[in-house]
Amino acid sequence: AQSVAQPEDQVNVAEGNPLTVKCTYSVSGNPYLFWYVQYPNRGLQFLLKYITGDNLVKGSYGFEAEFNKSQTSFHLKKPSALVSDSALYFCAVGPPNDYKLSFGAGTTVTVRA
Amino acid sequence: IAGITQAPTSQILAAGRRMTLRCTQDMRHNAMYWYRQDLGLGLRLIHYSNTAGTTGKGEVPDGYSVSRANTDDFPLTLASAVPSQTSVYFCASSVSPANTGELFFGEGSRLTVL
């Protein structure tokens, strides 16, 4: 079975400060990992993914994530947060050769001006 | 604009009634999915279809059915709605299996079962 944990329900940061949203996973075999963002009353939007290769993955809107196999983590980061980054962020994992993703419970990010 | 269209946007439904949530995509994606989103639980997969004519069960399929008669449409039916099916439902699609490609999501259908 595969699963994802997002240990923080909420993350609050000041604009201009670094932003980190944590994610740990459990999956058999090599993981395929994703981050999605959801703005109020909207569907989810893809941010970035890790399939293979470099452990540091760069995505949309200046976000990046680091895959750490030994810690089974895939934390989302942004060096300098913007107020417009305030949203709900979801981590997701899927095993190879499978059509299904498992999503975490989500982390609400609030960036204050 | 290409994407996924869901209908209705919002619906209040009496328990025991039948309800179909519609989903149409114009991207010619092979795979389509239905998720429900509940506070504190994130998104949970209800049913999926990896190509027209085939469907599969996800994590929480009970009380729901789907069909995939063609590439574009993937309706979700609640045969006899119950209050625990109150949720926000998202339809999604992907070119390839979800774990290798990006998922594209619709705007969601908010369903309240009384």
Side-chain angles (χ1 to χ4, degrees):
Chain A
Q2 60 194 39
S3 65
V4 171
Q6 294 181 240
E8 300 161 316
D9 292 335
Q10 290 194 358
V11 170
N12 298 305
V13 298
E15 187 172 37
N17 282 2
L19 170 64
T20 299
V21 186
K22 296 179 180 177
C23 172
T24 59
Y25 66 88
S26 174
V27 68
S28 298
N30 295 322
Y32 291 4
L33 296 157
F34 300 80
W35 277 101
Y36 284 81
V37 60
Q38 184 181 31
Y39 298 102
N41 300 312
R42 303 295 299 276
L44 279 69
Q45 298 176 30
F46 172 82
L47 276 180
L48 52 79
K49 67 180 179 183
Y50 172 83
I51 302 296
T52 187
D54 195 347
N55 289 345
L56 185 63
V57 179
K58 294 188 182 297
S60 306
Y61 312 122
F63 283 94
E64 59 189 27
E66 186 169 11
F67 169 63
N68 187 317
K69 188 173 184 178
S70 64
Q71 296 184 3
T72 61
S73 67
F74 190 57
H75 301 330
L76 181 70
K77 301 180 180 181
K78 186 170 184 180
S80 179
L82 301 172
V83 172
S84 58
D85 293 328
S86 299
L88 182 57
Y89 291 80
F90 290 97
C91 183
V93 65
N97 302 315
D98 195 312
Y99 280 82
K100 302 180 289 296
L101 287 185
S102 294
F103 284 81
T107 298
T108 299
V109 171
T110 301
V111 182
R112 60 186 184 277
Chain B
I1 298 177
I4 292 183
T5 302
Q6 291 186 233
T9 302
S10 180
Q11 182 75 45
I12 298 174
L13 188 67
R17 298 298 295 270
R18 180 183 180 90
M19 177 71 194
T20 295
L21 303 180
R22 300 183 298 279
C23 175
T24 299
Q25 55 111 350
D26 60 4
M27 298 174 284
R28 307 302 292 172
H29 285 175
N30 291 317
M32 297 187 75
Y33 313 83
W34 274 105
Y35 287 89
R36 60 177 288 173
Q37 182 179 20
D38 302 288
L39 189 64
L41 297 176
L43 275 77
R44 292 179 292 169
L45 182 65
I46 304 171
H47 284 287
Y48 68 98
S49 168
N50 56 30
T51 190
T54 67
T55 62
K57 294 182 178 180
E59 183 183 357
V60 288
D62 294 343
Y64 305 95
S65 64
V66 292
S67 61
R68 187 87 183 277
N70 56 60
T71 297
D72 298 341
D73 301 301
F74 191 45
L76 176 73
T77 298
L78 289 68
S80 179
V82 296
S84 62
Q85 291 178 311
T86 294
S87 186
V88 181
Y89 291 86
F90 287 98
C91 181
S93 71
S94 62
V95 173
S96 56
N99 60 3
T100 57
E102 174 184 351
L103 283 180
F104 291 82
F105 283 83
E107 297 285 285
S109 295
R110 183 176 296 275
L111 182 65
T112 302
V113 182
L114 302 176

